[in-house]
Amino acid sequence: MKAYVIAFLVATVLNLLCEKMYFKKHSKKKFIPFILMGMSIFTLCFVAAVRDLSVGTDIYVYVTRLYNVSLNYSNVFSYLKNCNSDLLFALTVYIGALTKNINIVLFLIQFCAVIPIYIYSYKLRYNKSFTLNILIFLLTMYCVSLNLMRQSIAISFCLLSYYYFDSGNKKKSYILLLVAVLFHKTALIFLLAFLINKIVKSNNKDKKLLIFLLIMGMVVAAFSMKYIVSISSYSEYLFLDSREFSLGSIIKRIFWIMLVLIGYRFNRGKQNSENYTISLIFLLISLFTTLTSFAIPGTGRLGFYFTDIA
């Protein structure tokens, strides 16, 4: 635990130096800020790389298995054909395994999860606190990324994809979403985020009707979720006895919803009120998937895509 706290402090200090000395002053010096950001990224990836292999159950399920499989193949195409995993995640493990060092593999995996967050925060450096954005990631996603590695990478790329979509650069947005899907197929659900953004920010007079139809679609999805999961590659979740989400997770999501409602109340009618509406819908989807997970284990993880973006 001490190692993570120290890493968080070091990364935060480096990020703060970037923000206060260069971003806030609109400095034209780009070389030094990138060095500081690189050191910050390296710190977070290094701690993830040298952790005990018992930290993160997915290490045994995916990383160790793929690492051992890759050692038996000199041909990357043969490896990808027989590895039975998401394409880009399997490829990341294969590249790291060329060094014959599993710590390098873990470093690369964490790098893939961290770098989109830093790019996203850098893009917004003049509008939002660079340090605060990274700190939110550290407090909410970093520890989760040590376990749910594939999905954490996908979520990071979805966040960056959403930034470009909201900025009007649809081409980059769709490419990044494709990258996310190739790391974890569940990222396909993030297309719903684009649809919500499109509806809320449109000038359509039937906006409320469209939002209502969207909610009704979610209700229909709830009743058909079991069938959808049963025909997917995640059907094994139907046979799990454990429930990943507790009453505490529901309370946490309701708490975030209340905060967004308060923000919406004070910003209603202002330019950024639409963003509060979108965040509220995202959090409601997250709460919806959490409740669904009590009947179908595993579906609650889909809500991570919307919780972290909101």
Side-chain angles (χ1 to χ4, degrees):
M1 178 62 74
K2 288 182 180 179
Y4 299 113
V5 173
I6 293 171
F8 284 12
L9 288 173
V10 171
T12 301
V13 169
L14 290 169
N15 295 335
L16 198 57
L17 286 173
C18 265
E19 183 172 2
K20 296 299 182 182
M21 295 178 66
Y22 299 99
F23 299 159
K24 291 295 184 183
K25 295 180 180 180
H26 293 256
S27 174
K28 294 182 179 180
K29 295 180 180 178
K30 293 184 178 181
F31 185 67
I32 297 177
F34 278 113
I35 289 178
L36 292 173
M37 283 190 289
M39 291 169 63
S40 178
I41 293 169
F42 178 84
T43 301
L44 299 176
C45 295
F46 179 78
V47 172
V50 299
R51 73 185 187 271
D52 190 277
L53 294 183
S54 63
V55 178
T57 54
D58 273 9
I59 287 182
Y60 289 102
V61 179
Y62 299 107
V63 180
T64 304
R65 178 181 67 82
L66 290 173
Y67 176 77
N68 291 330
V69 170
S70 68
L71 298 178
N72 297 322
Y73 289 94
S74 57
N75 187 306
V76 63
F77 297 107
S78 299
Y79 159 76
L80 292 173
K81 183 179 179 180
N82 295 282
C83 69
N84 190 30
S85 184
D86 296 283
L87 177 64
L88 287 184
F89 186 80
L91 188 60
T92 302
V93 174
Y94 183 86
I95 293 170
L98 293 175
T99 65
K100 302 293 192 296
N101 188 329
I102 197 167
N103 300 108
I104 300 297
V105 174
L106 294 174
F107 185 95
L108 288 177
I109 290 171
Q110 197 62 35
F111 180 81
C112 291
V114 168
I115 195 66
I117 304 296
Y118 271 75
I119 295 173
Y120 169 81
S121 302
Y122 179 79
K123 292 287 185 182
L124 294 174
R125 65 192 183 279
Y126 296 134
N127 301 318
K128 296 181 180 179
S129 171
F130 175 80
T131 306
L132 183 58
N133 274 340
I134 303 298
L135 186 59
I136 291 172
F137 163 74
L138 294 178
L139 296 176
T140 60
M141 286 180 62
Y142 182 83
C143 291
V144 174
S145 71
L146 301 180
N147 182 31
L148 305 178
M149 290 172 280
R150 297 180 304 154
Q151 188 176 0
S152 294
I153 296 171
I155 290 170
S156 294
F157 275 101
C158 282
L159 176 63
L160 189 56
S161 172
Y162 186 81
Y163 164 79
Y164 282 111
F165 185 90
D166 198 41
S167 301
N169 195 331
K170 302 296 192 293
K171 184 177 180 180
K172 281 187 179 180
S173 176
Y174 293 139
I175 290 173
L176 288 167
L177 180 61
L178 176 61
V179 171
V181 171
L182 292 176
F183 269 109
H184 203 268
K185 290 186 284 294
T186 58
L188 274 171
I189 197 174
F190 200 70
L191 285 169
L192 185 59
F194 296 160
L195 176 62
I196 292 168
N197 181 285
K198 195 78 172 176
I199 291 174
V200 173
K201 294 196 172 184
S202 70
N203 295 319
N204 197 317
K205 294 181 180 179
D206 299 323
K207 186 186 296 187
K208 291 183 179 179
L209 174 62
L210 292 173
I211 293 176
F212 172 76
L213 291 174
L214 180 65
I215 294 171
M216 292 304 297
M218 289 171 56
V219 173
V220 172
F223 287 100
S224 58
M225 184 67 74
K226 203 159 190 174
Y227 173 74
I228 294 171
V229 174
S230 68
I231 61 174
S232 72
S233 57
Y234 300 99
S235 57
E236 67 272 12
Y237 283 111
L238 292 174
F239 305 102
L240 293 179
D241 293 327
S242 62
R243 295 295 181 266
E244 300 170 333
F245 292 83
S246 62
L247 181 61
S249 64
I250 295 176
I251 293 173
K252 188 191 301 183
R253 282 158 176 77
I254 292 175
F255 172 74
W256 285 113
I257 288 171
M258 294 302 295
L259 285 181
V260 171
L261 283 172
I262 292 171
Y264 177 80
R265 172 66 181 81
F266 286 101
N267 289 274
R268 190 174 182 180
K270 295 182 181 179
Q271 189 174 3
N272 63 341
S273 62
E274 290 178 337
N275 291 328
Y276 282 95
T277 303
I278 292 171
S279 293
L280 179 61
I281 295 173
F282 284 177
L283 289 170
L284 287 173
I285 292 173
S286 177
L287 178 61
F288 167 77
T289 57
T290 302
L291 294 172
T292 305
S293 72
F294 283 91
I296 309 172
T299 54
R301 295 183 182 184
L302 298 175
F304 288 164
Y305 288 100
F306 300 95
T307 305
D308 295 320
I309 304 302

